[in-house]
Amino acid sequence: MLEKAQSCYFCTSKFKKDKIMFGDMMGMMGKLKETQQKVEETKKRMSTVLIDEKSSDGLINVTVTADRQIKKIDIADELLEDKEQLEDYLILTLNKALDRASDIFDKEVAAVASEGMPNIPGMDMFK
């Protein structure tokens, strides 16, 4: 009669470790995929976040989205007489608005990404 094979302690221990590590890896991959999806949703939502910026004297008002799309520009009539001054105002005001939009976009995406990242030492690129 054949005897039942006895389990090797090291073999079963290694199998359990592999199973745990594989399960952790699958869970981590699922969490990363979920985080990636949330990041993409956040990026899409940024097109609905409006940022208003105006020149220091209020002669130009611009509205941009957090994903850096210009939606509206209001120019006071008095600026229409001086092309060079108008260009300077537009550049300054648009750059301020786009800088704010970039900051908001980056912070929102980083917050979503860091919240879903597994705690891996040395992988703190979003913190």
Side-chain angles (χ1 to χ4, degrees):
M1 243 169 90
L2 294 173
E3 291 183 31
K4 191 175 186 183
Q6 291 186 354
S7 298
C8 167
Y9 171 76
F10 294 108
C11 296
T12 57
S13 177
K14 182 175 179 349
F15 176 74
K16 286 179 184 176
K17 275 186 178 177
D18 288 347
K19 187 174 180 183
I20 290 170
M21 287 177 66
F22 184 71
D24 288 348
M25 182 65 91
M26 292 302 290
M28 194 180 326
M29 293 303 286
K31 188 160 178 113
L32 286 173
K33 188 171 182 116
E34 180 181 317
T35 298
Q36 184 179 21
Q37 184 178 15
K38 285 182 180 179
V39 166
E40 291 304 315
E41 290 169 2
T42 300
K43 286 180 179 180
K44 286 179 186 173
R45 185 174 56 83
M46 292 293 100
S47 67
T48 64
V49 176
L50 298 177
I51 297 139
D52 293 316
E53 187 66 51
K54 61 174 125 181
S55 61
S56 57
D57 56 7
L59 295 178
I60 288 188
N61 294 309
V62 298
T63 302
V64 299
T65 62
D67 67 346
R68 299 176 284 290
Q69 297 294 312
I70 299 169
K71 292 295 183 180
K72 184 178 173 186
I73 299 176
D74 289 322
I75 302 170
D77 290 338
E78 62 193 76
L79 282 178
L80 297 176
E81 298 166 9
D82 186 349
K83 180 181 183 278
E84 195 172 305
Q85 184 182 16
L86 173 59
E87 290 169 347
D88 290 343
Y89 269 78
L90 279 171
I91 290 169
L92 290 171
T93 308
L94 283 169
N95 281 335
K96 282 191 338 186
L98 294 173
D99 284 345
R100 284 183 54 207
S102 290
D103 287 344
I104 290 169
F105 183 90
D106 293 343
K107 286 176 183 173
E108 289 289 321
V109 171
V112 171
S114 67
E115 147 187 319
M117 290 296 288
N119 190 14
I120 302 171
M123 295 291 290
D124 54 355
M125 60 187 141
F126 293 111
K127 293 182 181 179

